[in-house]
Amino acid sequence: MPQLASYKCHRVARCKSPHTIAKELILPSAIDIVSTMIDDATASKLKAIPLSNNIARRIYDMSKDMEVQLNDKIRDNHFALQMDEATDNNKHCLLITYVRSLMPMI
């Protein structure tokens, strides 16, 4: 549960602010508010929220989750796959992939 709360702190990233703002300002403020409004025991649970600058781990976790969701949706369904590769003037390789599902992917 604390790790899920850590992922919910995406507002800091959207503001293009350093992660230290959440660690040094937002979390201590939230702890003060909760201890004042509710109690210290509940406020101490907020201290378990990990706020680190490990963006690569979060991106990896989110990409794995998207991969699992996609696999679940296309498993046992018919779909078409089209791939195209090209290089640009700087000899960068480009790969474009289109997946067309014959079943609505809601």
Side-chain angles (χ1 to χ4, degrees):
M1 191 74 120
Q3 286 185 343
L4 178 61
S6 174
Y7 285 99
K8 299 270 184 177
C9 292
H10 62 284
R11 286 186 177 93
V12 173
R14 282 188 181 166
C15 293
K16 296 183 173 59
S17 299
H19 76 283
T20 54
I21 288 177
K23 199 176 204 177
E24 297 171 1
L25 177 67
I26 297 171
L27 186 60
S29 298
I31 291 170
D32 292 342
I33 292 167
V34 171
S35 66
T36 303
M37 299 291 290
I38 303 173
D39 61 9
D40 290 332
T42 306
S44 67
K45 292 181 181 180
L46 293 177
K47 294 177 184 176
I49 299 173
L51 296 175
S52 66
N53 195 21
N54 194 348
I55 303 297
R57 178 183 55 84
R58 292 180 186 188
I59 291 171
Y60 176 79
D61 290 346
M62 287 187 278
S63 68
K64 279 297 184 190
D65 181 55
M66 289 174 60
E67 181 182 354
V68 168
Q69 288 182 39
L70 180 62
N71 285 335
D72 288 343
K73 288 185 180 196
I74 64 173
R75 186 174 294 122
D76 300 326
N77 291 317
H78 296 287
F79 61 93
L81 179 66
Q82 178 183 355
M83 300 175 83
D84 186 26
E85 73 175 297
T87 54
D88 61 9
N89 292 338
N90 295 327
K91 298 195 175 160
H92 293 110
C93 295
L94 306 171
L95 177 65
I96 301 172
T97 306
Y98 298 96
V99 178
R100 181 176 173 193
S101 175
L102 302 177
M103 182 179 159
M105 296 176 69
I106 298 174

